[in-house]
Amino acid sequence: MTAFQIRKPFKPFTISSAFVWLLFWGLFWVEKAEAQSPLVRNFEQIQYQGTLNGNLPIVMNLTFTEQTASGHYFYTKYQIPITLEGAKQANGTWKIEEKDKSYNTTAFFEGKKVGDKFSGSWRNAAGTKKFAFALTQIKEGIVGFEGYRIKDEKQDSKGGISSLAIEVLYPTSIPTDLPTTLLQKLQDSVIVGQLGAEFLGKDNVAAKLKRLHKGYFEGNTQDDDLDFALNYTDERSMSVIFNQSHILTLDYSGYSYAGGAHGTYGTLYQIWDLKKGKILHAKDIFVAPQNPALRQLLVRQLRKDLALPKEQSLGDYGFFLDKDADLPLPDNMAATGTGILFLYGLYEIAPYVMGTTEIFISYAELKPFMRNDCALWLLANQ
């Protein structure tokens, strides 16, 4: 796993692009006053569960700063993440927008956060539907996190700007029925995944971020021999996709720019089997990851997502595929309670202009190909 993956603001055909974009605007580029301190630890990651309209069970993951909120929620029946971003209003309530894949606002949550409760009303963007929602924080049976953030920007004598924005969701608790050694394993994995192996050690997260901050700006000083300005950007974010049933899915996303025509971006998912204390890969989930019938499932869903006519191949659409059957099974996957999200990164199957590609397949369709000794098998049979 690399220290971070990279992203850009808009990615066609993805769910995670909306997550990344909301984290970029909702968490990093906040009020200018915050930039006075390069190190900030002032937000919390909360997982809620409850109902919409009194009869629709939902789960919501939100990251709160003093004035912003971002994250996602899903209906328990479907468990496909829906992007959320919003802000605290002058009267103390929170107004949070629901976004679709193209990052259009489709609905609003407006409510009050009191103790471990979050409640209020939901309405669609058209104003034709309005329901009450009532949520309670989940504290037991999940991995708990505390949030750290560093943000800074410096301009050199040539006018070049170097900017740094790093977020770390650091595990602080695990379900009580799991080995205590798991917590350290999760913590080390987060540090390696978000900061790099060189930041492992006994110093706390704040100290690690200070070291990263110092090294970044020392390493990106302007070369006085150049007659033009150079700009550098390093942004890394994290989010929790799924945190139930001893399965934890994490999202590591980022964007990097160091000159050239454009920056580069991406998202890396991790699926943790908490009982076994390991990250799951395709070989751990599927009996034969390269089974043509399994890959054909992805082809069918991708064609459906793109609304491709029968006579048009994926290669004709623009993918790097001579024929539809050449679509590989990626190892970059996010597990939810009802299925798996498969992610193809930049240039993996398509040119940069097409962005990254995600395909969601339900467990009902994946079951014939899954290993029965995998933790996800239990989710598939619930």
Side-chain angles (χ1 to χ4, degrees):
M1 178 174 60
T2 57
F4 66 99
Q5 301 289 306
I6 38 187
R7 57 160 165 76
K8 73 174 182 180
F10 176 73
K11 300 181 286 181
F13 325 132
T14 71
I15 292 175
S16 68
S17 60
F19 296 169
V20 174
W21 192 228
L22 74 92
L23 285 168
F24 172 67
W25 289 108
L27 292 175
F28 294 142
W29 301 107
V30 292
E31 294 183 4
K32 188 69 176 178
E34 287 192 11
Q36 296 175 358
S37 172
L39 180 63
V40 181
R41 177 196 165 192
N42 62 349
F43 69 93
E44 55 184 348
Q45 199 279 334
I46 299 178
Q47 179 164 317
Y48 293 105
Q49 67 179 3
T51 60
L52 184 64
N53 198 33
N55 61 354
L56 298 172
I58 63 173
V59 173
M60 184 178 292
N61 283 283
L62 282 174
T63 298
F64 290 97
T65 70
E66 298 98 326
Q67 299 297 326
T68 66
S70 59
H72 66 275
Y73 84 103
F74 56 77
Y75 291 86
T76 303
K77 181 178 179 180
Y78 304 108
Q79 302 207 18
I80 299 177
I82 301 170
T83 299
L84 299 172
E85 72 160 8
K88 193 173 186 178
Q89 306 301 293
N91 62 2
T93 64
W94 291 87
K95 184 175 183 179
I96 300 175
E97 298 180 6
E98 176 181 317
K99 303 288 186 177
D100 63 15
K101 292 183 181 181
S102 298
Y103 210 66
N104 299 310
T105 299
T106 56
F108 301 88
F109 285 89
E110 295 184 64
K112 290 187 177 181
K113 177 175 174 286
V114 180
D116 63 356
K117 307 290 185 183
F118 183 39
S119 61
S121 63
W122 173 96
R123 62 181 173 86
N124 65 353
T128 57
K129 295 180 181 179
K130 185 174 182 179
F131 304 127
F133 73 89
L135 306 174
T136 301
Q137 182 178 358
I138 303 173
K139 297 180 180 179
E140 302 295 333
I142 65 172
V143 176
F145 296 87
E146 61 184 11
Y148 292 80
R149 175 180 55 178
I150 189 169
K151 174 186 176 294
D152 203 2
E153 181 179 287
K154 297 184 185 299
Q155 184 172 357
D156 59 43
S157 59
K158 298 290 181 67
I161 296 175
S162 295
S163 61
L164 179 72
I166 310 290
E167 173 186 312
V168 176
L169 293 181
Y170 193 67
T172 55
S173 64
I174 58 174
T176 56
D177 60 339
L178 296 175
T180 56
T181 53
L182 173 64
L183 182 59
Q184 186 66 57
K185 185 179 291 187
L186 289 172
Q187 290 172 340
D188 288 348
S189 178
V190 165
I191 294 303
V192 172
Q194 194 68 335
L195 305 183
E198 65 271 27
F199 290 93
L200 288 173
K202 294 184 178 180
D203 55 339
N204 59 35
V205 179
K208 296 177 193 296
L209 286 173
K210 288 179 181 178
R211 285 198 284 128
L212 186 149
H213 173 273
K214 182 175 184 292
Y216 177 78
F217 286 105
E218 287 179 350
N220 288 322
T221 55
Q222 178 70 54
D223 188 337
D224 291 334
D225 294 334
L226 296 178
D227 295 327
F228 54 88
L230 291 175
N231 297 317
Y232 300 93
T233 302
D234 184 354
E235 299 158 6
R236 313 176 200 178
S237 63
M238 287 184 67
S239 63
V240 178
I241 303 297
F242 189 74
N243 191 6
Q244 296 174 223
S245 305
H246 292 123
I247 299 294
L248 174 68
T249 302
L250 297 175
D251 172 324
Y252 294 84
S253 296
Y255 171 81
S256 177
Y257 180 77
H262 54 71
T264 186
Y265 66 91
T267 294
L268 174 68
Y269 294 127
Q270 279 186 348
I271 305 172
W272 277 88
D273 177 344
L274 297 178
K275 283 189 174 180
K276 293 184 178 179
K278 62 179 289 187
I279 297 170
L280 298 179
H281 300 280
K283 63 182 178 60
D284 303 307
I285 300 171
F286 301 108
V287 175
Q290 297 308 318
N291 185 332
L294 173 57
R295 292 188 297 174
Q296 186 59 34
L297 272 181
L298 275 71
V299 170
R300 287 201 299 267
Q301 187 60 49
L302 179 56
R303 292 183 63 87
K304 182 179 179 181
D305 292 344
L306 300 177
L308 287 185
K310 293 180 179 180
E311 62 273 14
Q312 185 176 12
S313 69
L314 293 174
D316 291 338
Y317 187 83
F319 290 98
F320 298 147
L321 305 170
D322 292 330
K323 53 185 181 297
D324 287 7
D326 291 338
L327 183 72
L329 181 81
D331 200 46
N332 197 3
M333 301 173 291
T336 74
T338 58
I340 296 176
L341 203 61
F342 298 87
L343 172 66
Y344 298 90
L346 281 180
Y347 300 111
E348 189 173 354
I349 61 170
Y352 182 91
V353 68
M354 290 177 64
T356 63
T357 304
E358 285 187 350
I359 306 171
F360 183 84
I361 307 291
S362 70
Y363 289 132
E365 295 177 281
L366 292 172
K367 273 181 66 174
F369 308 99
M370 294 176 65
R371 298 172 58 106
N372 59 16
D373 60 349
C374 174
L376 300 185
W377 177 260
L378 298 177
L379 288 178
N381 286 275
Q382 286 183 354

